[in-house]
């Protein structure tokens, strides 16, 4: 399978005078976990927004498994199999945890039946039950999602991303705000998912990045600064400079690379 | 025919300046507090009634020019504190609250003032010839006062501490609070100011319109039109839109039914909402 | 468990009451209250249309009176000008309301919620003024009267709405059917889609829901409910007037819904009942009943923002929790 799962050509997005994503041409190979890292304001989330259709590019094209998806609407892109989580955890707060998963599963169908009772969809129910198990949220199934702890919401988001059987998963800082224990759980889950799903992950936590990623791309000011294997990135001078200005902090990247 | 066109156009222009005051009050409330204030037309109506009561109580018309905005400000501040603040200005609840307020204001006026519409005599009688038409002096005077009030309000926003606070909170709430601006107090004062502007407009307009407990119902949609077409948060835009709309409606009325004029303004407003929701006028937007 | 018993008890009590009204009311009080209850049922359907959009999809429409008006005039003009008999006129009223909802929804639903609320008013005002200016056709604010064709004809048996008892049961049947349809929709996959959009429309689009289309569907459904309500109203009073298309009517629908409890099935019914009963009782002694309505609206949003039914649900949930504390075995449903 040499077809890259995701490819962009000259992708550009401007906000007024600011160029958030600058002529970005990137190719992400299939069956590998990619991490996108970079200092704040590097354009990572904007990049994800362009990929998932929340923003339309000012220039360039996006290809998903060879298919041109440039400028498509978010729900169309979602239907193609690309799912993403958001940087600020976002679910359906007044629906129960189970319903959150349930509606995510149902949204795959083009047609939502207006009269049949939702509970009668057995296939959806079994998927929901299974995902609840996998994410460890079974005990919270009937709680409104808005009452969950931050870590549980993040797990729910991942659960929602998974239950729709995506072919490409975009995770935007999935461990942001999590405790170490929760982070560990999330990382294990992501590794598990990576076995069957293509994953691209934006992360700030270097431990997580160097623990999961097989390919890393570093963005700075909307353009690719460097890309390669974790070892290559860890040793890259330009990366250190972009991220950290001071020599003392270099050790951190060193340590993380050899974690 | 030409006389009527001119007359209606001038009436429109003058009415537009007065309405601009009222619409400005709405723009300030809507822009800063995010509240769709259903009672705003009734704020204007209360102003006309306050003018009436000041006149019958003191025999002096001009007292109304002070009483209406001052009392209006107090009522507005109290309402914000008692009603809006407890619900944290929550959007849908505010609409219901202001709807309830509208009913309460109308009924209180109906109880105290009565249900029959009444006319007030203008303090300045007489006409002067203008463009070949005998035009009422008071109308010209009212336009002048409205214009002065508009200018005064903008000066207030630019040059006083409170005005600057209002602009800051409207521009960026979080930063303003972080800089130590008492946002809550600003909200109270803003709502009060919105009421005061509308009430003052009512006092000024009282001799040219009828004093009637239902007088706010017609004014309300017009104010919203001015705010939307002028651009949400764009205060000068609201003023310009109010004047323009009233002027256009005046013109259209010379050739067609007033209802047609109103319908065309509404259609224009729909077009703006759908095609260019930030309003027609560029300027100091949010 | 206690909760379930209470709720079933209340439901059965209310149902029994509603069925017994034409005989119970005259026995207890004035006959006139039968038509008040009929009116309450009709208007609660109107409130339900506001509730569907606001409580379940998160769209606050301040212009449902427009579709009410189309339903109302559809029936009135259908009978008066087109010579339609009962059922075709009914259908015509409902169809016109839905058509209008579709056309205006296509534009309105694209807007974010402040502008959506405003444009719904604007649309309703445009047609209100149109109706007022086309006085020869619509009777403007004064309205038009028409005579009522019979509903059913079996051989020589004729049932018409001029019989208050039949009218009451007809309205009760139609309103119950509409509420039942609403119930089915809300619990269906489509209904869950609505809730998702209400809670978080961004997320909804990311999981693949077409937010625009779903909102439009909800808007047309609400137009259906408002249209049925308007049509029933026309039949009930044999009368149609432009004044019922004014924004104050829409506003009352919003107040009834929110005070009753937005996002609940019976909130609109409770809210409408409360306000109309107050109106009837107070206005016979004091003409300023609107003051009480206004005060109630304000008190409700401050002290009971989830509405009366919302308060009820809160109490019921506390009963549930108390039951769970007393006997954990009774709340096993959470486990798969």
């Amino acid at each position: 399978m040499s077809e890259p799962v995701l490819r962009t050509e000259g992708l550009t997005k401007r906000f007024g005078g600011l160029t958030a994503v600058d002529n970005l041409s990137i190719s992400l190979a299939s069956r590998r976990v990619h991490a996108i890292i970079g200092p704040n304001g590097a354009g990572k989330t904007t990049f994800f927004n362009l990929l998932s259709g929340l923003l339309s590019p000012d220039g360039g094209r996006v290809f998903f498994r060879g298919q041109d998806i440039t400028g498509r609407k978010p729900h169309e892109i979602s239907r193609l199999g690309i799912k993403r989580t958001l940087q600020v955890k976002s679910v359906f707060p007044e629906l129960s945890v189970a319903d959150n998963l349930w509606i995510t599963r149902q949204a795959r169908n083009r047609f939502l039946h207006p009269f049949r009772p939702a509970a009668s969809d057995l296939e959806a129910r079994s998927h929901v039950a299974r995902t609840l198990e996998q994410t460890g949220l079974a005990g919270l199934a009937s709680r409104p999602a808005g009452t969950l702890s931050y870590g549980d919401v993040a797990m729910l988001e991942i659960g929602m991303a998974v239950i729709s059987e995506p072919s490409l998963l975009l995770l935007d800082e999935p461990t942001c705000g999590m405790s170490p224990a929760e982070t560990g759980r999330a990382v294990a889950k992501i590794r598990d998912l990576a076995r069957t799903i293509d994953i691209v992950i934006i992360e700030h936590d270097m431990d997580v990045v160097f623990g999961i990623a097989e390919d890393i791309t570093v963005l700075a000011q909307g353009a690719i600064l460097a890309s390669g294997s974790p070892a290559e990135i860890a040793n890259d001078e330009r990366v250190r400079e972009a991220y950290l200005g001071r020599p003392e902090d270099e050790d951190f990247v060193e340590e993380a690379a050899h974690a | 025919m030409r006389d009527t066109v001119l007359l209606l156009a001038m009436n429109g222009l003058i009415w537009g300046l007065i309405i601009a005051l009222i619409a400005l009050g709405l723009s300030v409330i809507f822009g800063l507090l995010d509240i769709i204030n259903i009672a705003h037309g009734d704020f204007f109506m209360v102003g006309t009634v306050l003018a009436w009561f000041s006149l019958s109580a003191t025999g002096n018309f001009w007292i109304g020019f002070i009483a209406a905005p001052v009392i209006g400000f107090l009522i507005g501040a109290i309402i914000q504190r008692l009603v809006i603040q407890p619900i944290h200005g929550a959007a849908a609840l505010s609409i219901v609250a202001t709807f309830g307020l509208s009913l309460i204001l109308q009924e209180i006026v109906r109880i105290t003032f009565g249900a029959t519409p009444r006319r007030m005599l203008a303090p300045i009688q007489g006409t002067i010839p203008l463009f070949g038409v005998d035009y009422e002096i008071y109308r010209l005077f009212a336009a002048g006062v409205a214009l002065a009030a508009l200018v005064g309000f903008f000066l207030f926003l630019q040059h006083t501490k409170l005005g600057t606070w209002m602009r800051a909170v409207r521009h960026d709430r979080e930063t303003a609070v972080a800089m130590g601006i008492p946002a809550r107090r600003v909200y109270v004062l803003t709502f009060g100011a919105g009421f005061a502007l509308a009430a003052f407009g009512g006092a000024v307009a009282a001799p040219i319109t009828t004093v009637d407990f239902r007088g706010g119902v017609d004014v309300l949609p017009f104010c919203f039109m001015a705010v939307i077409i002028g651009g949400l948060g764009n205060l000068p835009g609201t003023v310009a839109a109010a004047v323009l709309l009233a002027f256009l409606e005046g013109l259209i009325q010379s050739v067609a039914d007033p209802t047609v004029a109103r319908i065309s303004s509404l259609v224009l407003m729909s077009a703006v909402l759908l095609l260019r929701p930030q309003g027609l006028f560029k300027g100091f937007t949010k | 468990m206690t909760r379930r018993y209470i709720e079933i008890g209340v439901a059965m009590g209310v149902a029994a009451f509603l069925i017994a009204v034409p005989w119970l009311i005259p026995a207890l009080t004035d006959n006139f209250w039968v038509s008040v209850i009929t009116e309450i049922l009709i208007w609660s359907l109107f409130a339900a249309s506001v509730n569907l959009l606001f409580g379940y999809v998160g769209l606050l429409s301040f212009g449902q009176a427009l579709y009410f008006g189309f339903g109302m005039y559809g029936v009135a003009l259908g009978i008066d000008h087109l010579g339609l008999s009962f059922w075709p006129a009914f259908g015509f009223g409902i169809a016109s309301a839905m058509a209008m909802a579709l056309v205006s929804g296509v534009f309105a639903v694209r807007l974010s919620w402040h502008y959506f609320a405003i444009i719904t008013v604007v649309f309703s005002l445009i047609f209100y003024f149109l109706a007022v200016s086309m006085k020869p056709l619509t009777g403007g604010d004064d309205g038009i009267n028409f005579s009522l064709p019979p509903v059913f004809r079996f051989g020589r048996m004729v049932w018409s709405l001029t019989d208050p008892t039949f009218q009451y049961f007809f309205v009760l049947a139609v309103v119950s059917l509409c509420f039942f349809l609403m119930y089915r929709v809300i619990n269906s996959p489509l209904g869950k889609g609505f809730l998702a959009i209400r809670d978080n429309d961004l997320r909804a689009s990311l999981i693949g829901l077409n937010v625009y289309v779903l909102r439009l569907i909800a808007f047309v459904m609400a137009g259906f409910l408002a249209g049925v309500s308007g049509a029933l109203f026309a039949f009930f009073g044999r009368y149609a007037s432009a004044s019922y298309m004014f924004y104050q009517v829409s506003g009352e629908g919003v107040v009834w819904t929110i005070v009753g409890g937005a996002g609940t099935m019976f909130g609109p019914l409770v809210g409408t009942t409360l306000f109309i009963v107050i109106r009837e009782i107070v206005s016979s002694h004091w003409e300023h009943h609107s003051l009480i309505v206004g005060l109630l609206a304000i008190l409700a949003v401050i002290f009971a923002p989830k509405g009366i039914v919302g308060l009820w649900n809160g109490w019921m949930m506390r009963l549930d929790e108390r039951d769970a504390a007393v006997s954990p075995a009774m709340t096993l449903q959470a486990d798969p």
Side-chain angles (χ1 to χ4, degrees), chain B residues 34 87 91-92 95-96 99 107 110 217 220 232 262 270 274, chain C residues 54 60 62 110 113-114 122 129 246-247 255 258 287-288 301:
Chain B
D34 240 2
I87 60 179
I95 292 190
V96 175
F99 185 81
E107 283 306 309
R110 199 150 83 113
V217 170
L220 183 68
L232 193 52
R262 182 47 58 92
S270 315
L274 291 171
Chain C
F54 180 59
L60 183 60
F62 230 83
R110 282 170 36 204
W113 97 260
H114 268 130
V122 173
F129 282 117
F246 201 57
Y247 71 81
V255 173
I258 293 192
E287 56 178 314
H288 301 292
V301 299

mmCIF file of all heavy atoms in Angstrom, chain B residues 34 87 91-92 95-96 99 107 110 217 220 232 262 270 274, chain C residues 54 60 62 110 113-114 122 129 246-247 255 258 287-288 301:
data_model
loop_
_atom_site.group_PDB
_atom_site.id
_atom_site.type_symbol
_atom_site.label_atom_id
_atom_site.label_comp_id
_atom_site.label_asym_id
_atom_site.label_seq_id
_atom_site.Cartn_x
_atom_site.Cartn_y
_atom_site.Cartn_z
ATOM 1 N N ASP B 34 -25.560 41.482 24.786
ATOM 2 C CA ASP B 34 -26.008 40.348 23.989
ATOM 3 C C ASP B 34 -27.476 40.013 24.227
ATOM 4 O O ASP B 34 -27.890 38.860 24.106
ATOM 5 C CB ASP B 34 -25.175 39.109 24.370
ATOM 6 C CG ASP B 34 -24.421 38.575 23.175
ATOM 7 O OD1 ASP B 34 -24.522 39.185 22.095
ATOM 8 O OD2 ASP B 34 -23.759 37.542 23.318
ATOM 9 N N ILE B 87 -30.094 36.012 35.995
ATOM 10 C CA ILE B 87 -30.086 34.962 34.987
ATOM 11 C C ILE B 87 -28.824 35.015 34.153
ATOM 12 O O ILE B 87 -28.720 34.369 33.117
ATOM 13 C CB ILE B 87 -31.337 35.026 34.081
ATOM 14 C CG1 ILE B 87 -31.407 36.357 33.352
ATOM 15 C CG2 ILE B 87 -32.580 34.824 34.890
ATOM 16 C CD1 ILE B 87 -32.616 36.439 32.438
ATOM 17 N N ALA B 91 -29.140 33.967 27.145
ATOM 18 C CA ALA B 91 -29.795 34.458 25.939
ATOM 19 C C ALA B 91 -31.293 34.232 25.877
ATOM 20 O O ALA B 91 -32.069 35.179 25.863
ATOM 21 C CB ALA B 91 -29.113 33.842 24.740
ATOM 22 N N ALA B 92 -31.737 33.004 25.842
ATOM 23 C CA ALA B 92 -33.163 32.752 25.647
ATOM 24 C C ALA B 92 -33.975 33.254 26.831
ATOM 25 O O ALA B 92 -35.069 33.789 26.682
ATOM 26 C CB ALA B 92 -33.412 31.264 25.443
ATOM 27 N N ILE B 95 -34.731 36.896 26.629
ATOM 28 C CA ILE B 95 -35.824 37.251 25.730
ATOM 29 C C ILE B 95 -37.152 37.132 26.463
ATOM 30 O O ILE B 95 -37.990 38.031 26.391
ATOM 31 C CB ILE B 95 -35.845 36.347 24.488
ATOM 32 C CG1 ILE B 95 -34.622 36.630 23.637
ATOM 33 C CG2 ILE B 95 -37.106 36.558 23.686
ATOM 34 C CD1 ILE B 95 -34.656 35.975 22.294
ATOM 35 N N VAL B 96 -37.337 36.055 27.183
ATOM 36 C CA VAL B 96 -38.580 35.895 27.933
ATOM 37 C C VAL B 96 -38.700 36.982 28.980
ATOM 38 O O VAL B 96 -39.760 37.569 29.172
ATOM 39 C CB VAL B 96 -38.632 34.504 28.602
ATOM 40 C CG1 VAL B 96 -39.865 34.386 29.466
ATOM 41 C CG2 VAL B 96 -38.624 33.429 27.550
ATOM 42 N N PHE B 99 -39.588 40.174 27.400
ATOM 43 C CA PHE B 99 -40.974 40.102 26.950
ATOM 44 C C PHE B 99 -41.898 40.363 28.126
ATOM 45 O O PHE B 99 -42.867 41.123 28.017
ATOM 46 C CB PHE B 99 -41.248 38.732 26.346
ATOM 47 C CG PHE B 99 -42.615 38.600 25.738
ATOM 48 C CD1 PHE B 99 -42.858 39.083 24.469
ATOM 49 C CD2 PHE B 99 -43.656 37.999 26.435
ATOM 50 C CE1 PHE B 99 -44.119 38.966 23.898
ATOM 51 C CE2 PHE B 99 -44.915 37.887 25.868
ATOM 52 C CZ PHE B 99 -45.148 38.366 24.595
ATOM 53 N N GLU B 107 -48.670 47.578 30.944
ATOM 54 C CA GLU B 107 -49.811 47.560 31.872
ATOM 55 C C GLU B 107 -49.702 48.650 32.920
ATOM 56 O O GLU B 107 -50.692 49.280 33.274
ATOM 57 C CB GLU B 107 -49.931 46.192 32.560
ATOM 58 C CG GLU B 107 -50.537 45.121 31.697
ATOM 59 C CD GLU B 107 -51.873 45.503 31.109
ATOM 60 O OE1 GLU B 107 -52.767 45.935 31.873
ATOM 61 O OE2 GLU B 107 -52.036 45.397 29.882
ATOM 62 N N ARG B 110 -50.769 51.664 31.355
ATOM 63 C CA ARG B 110 -52.218 51.625 31.142
ATOM 64 C C ARG B 110 -52.953 51.956 32.442
ATOM 65 O O ARG B 110 -53.969 52.627 32.455
ATOM 66 C CB ARG B 110 -52.641 50.249 30.631
ATOM 67 C CG ARG B 110 -54.002 50.238 29.962
ATOM 68 C CD ARG B 110 -54.055 49.180 28.894
ATOM 69 N NE ARG B 110 -54.363 47.865 29.440
ATOM 70 C CZ ARG B 110 -55.502 47.216 29.188
ATOM 71 N NH1 ARG B 110 -56.410 47.754 28.441
ATOM 72 N NH2 ARG B 110 -55.683 46.016 29.701
ATOM 73 N N VAL B 217 -44.812 49.434 20.349
ATOM 74 C CA VAL B 217 -44.904 48.253 19.497
ATOM 75 C C VAL B 217 -44.402 48.528 18.081
ATOM 76 O O VAL B 217 -43.778 47.682 17.448
ATOM 77 C CB VAL B 217 -46.371 47.759 19.455
ATOM 78 C CG1 VAL B 217 -46.548 46.698 18.405
ATOM 79 C CG2 VAL B 217 -46.763 47.228 20.817
ATOM 80 N N LEU B 220 -40.329 49.233 18.002
ATOM 81 C CA LEU B 220 -39.407 48.127 18.249
ATOM 82 C C LEU B 220 -38.816 47.511 16.973
ATOM 83 O O LEU B 220 -37.593 47.414 16.845
ATOM 84 C CB LEU B 220 -40.098 47.055 19.096
ATOM 85 C CG LEU B 220 -39.205 45.884 19.478
ATOM 86 C CD1 LEU B 220 -38.125 46.318 20.437
ATOM 87 C CD2 LEU B 220 -40.026 44.757 20.086
ATOM 88 N N LEU B 232 -24.244 45.072 13.835
ATOM 89 C CA LEU B 232 -24.229 44.831 15.267
ATOM 90 C C LEU B 232 -22.940 45.337 15.883
ATOM 91 O O LEU B 232 -21.853 45.008 15.435
ATOM 92 C CB LEU B 232 -24.361 43.333 15.496
ATOM 93 C CG LEU B 232 -24.668 42.899 16.909
ATOM 94 C CD1 LEU B 232 -25.863 43.637 17.410
ATOM 95 C CD2 LEU B 232 -24.901 41.412 16.924
ATOM 96 N N ARG B 262 -43.152 49.975 5.187
ATOM 97 C CA ARG B 262 -42.638 49.128 6.258
ATOM 98 C C ARG B 262 -42.201 47.785 5.704
ATOM 99 O O ARG B 262 -41.165 47.241 6.068
ATOM 100 C CB ARG B 262 -43.734 48.974 7.330
ATOM 101 C CG ARG B 262 -43.341 48.172 8.520
ATOM 102 C CD ARG B 262 -41.988 48.562 9.088
ATOM 103 N NE ARG B 262 -41.891 49.949 9.481
ATOM 104 C CZ ARG B 262 -42.145 50.392 10.694
ATOM 105 N NH1 ARG B 262 -42.553 49.563 11.615
ATOM 106 N NH2 ARG B 262 -41.990 51.664 10.987
ATOM 107 N N SER B 270 -34.165 41.686 5.870
ATOM 108 C CA SER B 270 -33.944 40.252 5.659
ATOM 109 C C SER B 270 -32.759 40.038 4.740
ATOM 110 O O SER B 270 -31.928 39.154 4.962
ATOM 111 C CB SER B 270 -35.158 39.587 5.008
ATOM 112 O OG SER B 270 -36.327 39.996 5.615
ATOM 113 N N LEU B 274 -29.364 37.951 5.616
ATOM 114 C CA LEU B 274 -28.982 36.743 4.912
ATOM 115 C C LEU B 274 -27.667 36.891 4.163
ATOM 116 O O LEU B 274 -26.907 35.941 4.027
ATOM 117 C CB LEU B 274 -30.092 36.351 3.928
ATOM 118 C CG LEU B 274 -31.368 35.860 4.619
ATOM 119 C CD1 LEU B 274 -32.486 35.714 3.603
ATOM 120 C CD2 LEU B 274 -31.115 34.535 5.292
ATOM 121 N N PHE C 54 -36.922 25.015 19.878
ATOM 122 C CA PHE C 54 -36.024 25.548 20.885
ATOM 123 C C PHE C 54 -35.515 24.477 21.839
ATOM 124 O O PHE C 54 -34.328 24.376 22.109
ATOM 125 C CB PHE C 54 -36.709 26.673 21.668
ATOM 126 C CG PHE C 54 -35.827 27.267 22.723
ATOM 127 C CD1 PHE C 54 -34.616 27.837 22.381
ATOM 128 C CD2 PHE C 54 -36.185 27.231 24.055
ATOM 129 C CE1 PHE C 54 -33.782 28.372 23.339
ATOM 130 C CE2 PHE C 54 -35.354 27.773 25.025
ATOM 131 C CZ PHE C 54 -34.159 28.342 24.665
ATOM 132 N N LEU C 60 -34.207 29.264 18.609
ATOM 133 C CA LEU C 60 -35.304 30.035 19.170
ATOM 134 C C LEU C 60 -36.011 30.779 18.057
ATOM 135 O O LEU C 60 -35.483 31.731 17.499
ATOM 136 C CB LEU C 60 -34.776 31.023 20.215
ATOM 137 C CG LEU C 60 -35.865 31.822 20.917
ATOM 138 C CD1 LEU C 60 -36.811 30.897 21.646
ATOM 139 C CD2 LEU C 60 -35.265 32.802 21.892
ATOM 140 N N PHE C 62 -38.929 33.191 16.939
ATOM 141 C CA PHE C 62 -39.853 34.176 17.474
ATOM 142 C C PHE C 62 -40.922 34.498 16.442
ATOM 143 O O PHE C 62 -41.547 35.551 16.511
ATOM 144 C CB PHE C 62 -39.089 35.454 17.849
ATOM 145 C CG PHE C 62 -39.394 35.916 19.215
ATOM 146 C CD1 PHE C 62 -38.734 35.370 20.304
ATOM 147 C CD2 PHE C 62 -40.361 36.869 19.440
ATOM 148 C CE1 PHE C 62 -39.024 35.775 21.582
ATOM 149 C CE2 PHE C 62 -40.659 37.277 20.722
ATOM 150 C CZ PHE C 62 -39.990 36.740 21.789
ATOM 151 N N ARG C 110 -29.907 28.954 7.993
ATOM 152 C CA ARG C 110 -28.479 29.133 7.765
ATOM 153 C C ARG C 110 -27.844 30.033 8.813
ATOM 154 O O ARG C 110 -26.632 30.054 8.973
ATOM 155 C CB ARG C 110 -28.259 29.773 6.388
ATOM 156 C CG ARG C 110 -28.390 28.807 5.245
ATOM 157 C CD ARG C 110 -28.404 29.526 3.918
ATOM 158 N NE ARG C 110 -27.524 30.680 3.918
ATOM 159 C CZ ARG C 110 -27.674 31.711 3.110
ATOM 160 N NH1 ARG C 110 -28.670 31.733 2.258
ATOM 161 N NH2 ARG C 110 -26.857 32.724 3.164
ATOM 162 N N TRP C 113 -27.737 31.789 15.946
ATOM 163 C CA TRP C 113 -29.016 31.855 16.617
ATOM 164 C C TRP C 113 -29.579 33.228 16.933
ATOM 165 O O TRP C 113 -30.780 33.421 16.874
ATOM 166 C CB TRP C 113 -29.033 30.908 17.813
ATOM 167 C CG TRP C 113 -28.736 31.467 19.138
ATOM 168 C CD1 TRP C 113 -27.562 31.411 19.821
ATOM 169 C CD2 TRP C 113 -29.663 32.136 19.987
ATOM 170 N NE1 TRP C 113 -27.714 32.009 21.033
ATOM 171 C CE2 TRP C 113 -28.980 32.473 21.161
ATOM 172 C CE3 TRP C 113 -31.004 32.501 19.849
ATOM 173 C CZ2 TRP C 113 -29.590 33.139 22.203
ATOM 174 C CZ3 TRP C 113 -31.617 33.170 20.890
ATOM 175 C CH2 TRP C 113 -30.903 33.473 22.054
ATOM 176 N N HIS C 114 -28.748 34.232 17.185
ATOM 177 C CA HIS C 114 -29.322 35.581 17.381
ATOM 178 C C HIS C 114 -30.031 36.046 16.126
ATOM 179 O O HIS C 114 -31.130 36.569 16.168
ATOM 180 C CB HIS C 114 -28.209 36.597 17.636
ATOM 181 C CG HIS C 114 -27.917 36.769 19.068
ATOM 182 N ND1 HIS C 114 -26.648 36.716 19.586
ATOM 183 C CD2 HIS C 114 -28.732 36.996 20.112
ATOM 184 C CE1 HIS C 114 -26.705 36.905 20.880
ATOM 185 N NE2 HIS C 114 -27.949 37.074 21.235
ATOM 186 N N VAL C 122 -38.815 38.921 11.605
ATOM 187 C CA VAL C 122 -38.920 39.763 10.405
ATOM 188 C C VAL C 122 -39.837 39.126 9.378
ATOM 189 O O VAL C 122 -40.723 39.779 8.822
ATOM 190 C CB VAL C 122 -37.525 40.004 9.806
ATOM 191 C CG1 VAL C 122 -37.633 40.718 8.478
ATOM 192 C CG2 VAL C 122 -36.703 40.833 10.760
ATOM 193 N N PHE C 129 -47.845 42.409 7.831
ATOM 194 C CA PHE C 129 -48.175 43.645 7.136
ATOM 195 C C PHE C 129 -48.829 43.378 5.788
ATOM 196 O O PHE C 129 -49.727 44.092 5.353
ATOM 197 C CB PHE C 129 -46.927 44.521 6.960
ATOM 198 C CG PHE C 129 -46.544 45.249 8.211
ATOM 199 C CD1 PHE C 129 -45.322 45.000 8.833
ATOM 200 C CD2 PHE C 129 -47.396 46.165 8.781
ATOM 201 C CE1 PHE C 129 -44.980 45.667 9.992
ATOM 202 C CE2 PHE C 129 -47.056 46.833 9.947
ATOM 203 C CZ PHE C 129 -45.843 46.583 10.548
ATOM 204 N N PHE C 246 -49.119 38.500 14.534
ATOM 205 C CA PHE C 246 -48.221 39.515 15.050
ATOM 206 C C PHE C 246 -47.198 38.911 16.008
ATOM 207 O O PHE C 246 -47.439 37.867 16.605
ATOM 208 C CB PHE C 246 -49.034 40.602 15.739
ATOM 209 C CG PHE C 246 -48.305 41.894 15.862
ATOM 210 C CD1 PHE C 246 -47.805 42.537 14.741
ATOM 211 C CD2 PHE C 246 -48.086 42.468 17.101
ATOM 212 C CE1 PHE C 246 -47.120 43.725 14.847
ATOM 213 C CE2 PHE C 246 -47.399 43.671 17.212
ATOM 214 C CZ PHE C 246 -46.926 44.305 16.081
ATOM 215 N N TYR C 247 -46.059 39.610 16.190
ATOM 216 C CA TYR C 247 -44.977 38.979 16.941
ATOM 217 C C TYR C 247 -45.324 38.734 18.392
ATOM 218 O O TYR C 247 -44.724 37.882 19.047
ATOM 219 C CB TYR C 247 -43.663 39.760 16.815
ATOM 220 C CG TYR C 247 -43.591 41.095 17.529
ATOM 221 C CD1 TYR C 247 -43.326 41.168 18.899
ATOM 222 C CD2 TYR C 247 -43.764 42.280 16.836
ATOM 223 C CE1 TYR C 247 -43.250 42.377 19.543
ATOM 224 C CE2 TYR C 247 -43.693 43.495 17.474
ATOM 225 C CZ TYR C 247 -43.435 43.537 18.832
ATOM 226 O OH TYR C 247 -43.360 44.747 19.468
ATOM 227 N N VAL C 255 -42.965 32.305 25.695
ATOM 228 C CA VAL C 255 -43.069 32.403 27.153
ATOM 229 C C VAL C 255 -43.737 31.160 27.725
ATOM 230 O O VAL C 255 -43.258 30.575 28.700
ATOM 231 C CB VAL C 255 -43.866 33.657 27.554
ATOM 232 C CG1 VAL C 255 -44.118 33.669 29.039
ATOM 233 C CG2 VAL C 255 -43.115 34.900 27.142
ATOM 234 N N ILE C 258 -41.215 28.253 27.656
ATOM 235 C CA ILE C 258 -40.095 28.315 28.583
ATOM 236 C C ILE C 258 -40.569 28.213 30.023
ATOM 237 O O ILE C 258 -39.950 27.544 30.857
ATOM 238 C CB ILE C 258 -39.269 29.581 28.332
ATOM 239 C CG1 ILE C 258 -38.601 29.454 26.968
ATOM 240 C CG2 ILE C 258 -38.250 29.800 29.424
ATOM 241 C CD1 ILE C 258 -37.545 30.461 26.675
ATOM 242 N N GLU C 287 -58.798 43.971 34.736
ATOM 243 C CA GLU C 287 -58.449 43.970 33.318
ATOM 244 C C GLU C 287 -56.954 43.932 33.068
ATOM 245 O O GLU C 287 -56.526 43.791 31.933
ATOM 246 C CB GLU C 287 -59.064 45.194 32.640
ATOM 247 C CG GLU C 287 -58.632 46.489 33.312
ATOM 248 C CD GLU C 287 -59.204 47.707 32.600
ATOM 249 O OE1 GLU C 287 -59.133 47.729 31.368
ATOM 250 O OE2 GLU C 287 -59.704 48.612 33.288
ATOM 251 N N HIS C 288 -56.160 44.073 34.082
ATOM 252 C CA HIS C 288 -54.721 44.174 33.835
ATOM 253 C C HIS C 288 -54.001 42.856 34.057
ATOM 254 O O HIS C 288 -52.946 42.817 34.691
ATOM 255 C CB HIS C 288 -54.123 45.263 34.724
ATOM 256 C CG HIS C 288 -54.749 46.603 34.474
ATOM 257 N ND1 HIS C 288 -54.576 47.288 33.304
ATOM 258 C CD2 HIS C 288 -55.574 47.344 35.239
ATOM 259 C CE1 HIS C 288 -55.260 48.419 33.376
ATOM 260 N NE2 HIS C 288 -55.877 48.474 34.534
ATOM 261 N N VAL C 301 -38.199 32.857 34.887
ATOM 262 C CA VAL C 301 -36.835 32.714 34.369
ATOM 263 C C VAL C 301 -35.793 32.890 35.462
ATOM 264 O O VAL C 301 -34.702 32.344 35.375
ATOM 265 C CB VAL C 301 -36.514 33.686 33.203
ATOM 266 C CG1 VAL C 301 -37.426 33.437 32.039
ATOM 267 C CG2 VAL C 301 -36.559 35.114 33.626
#
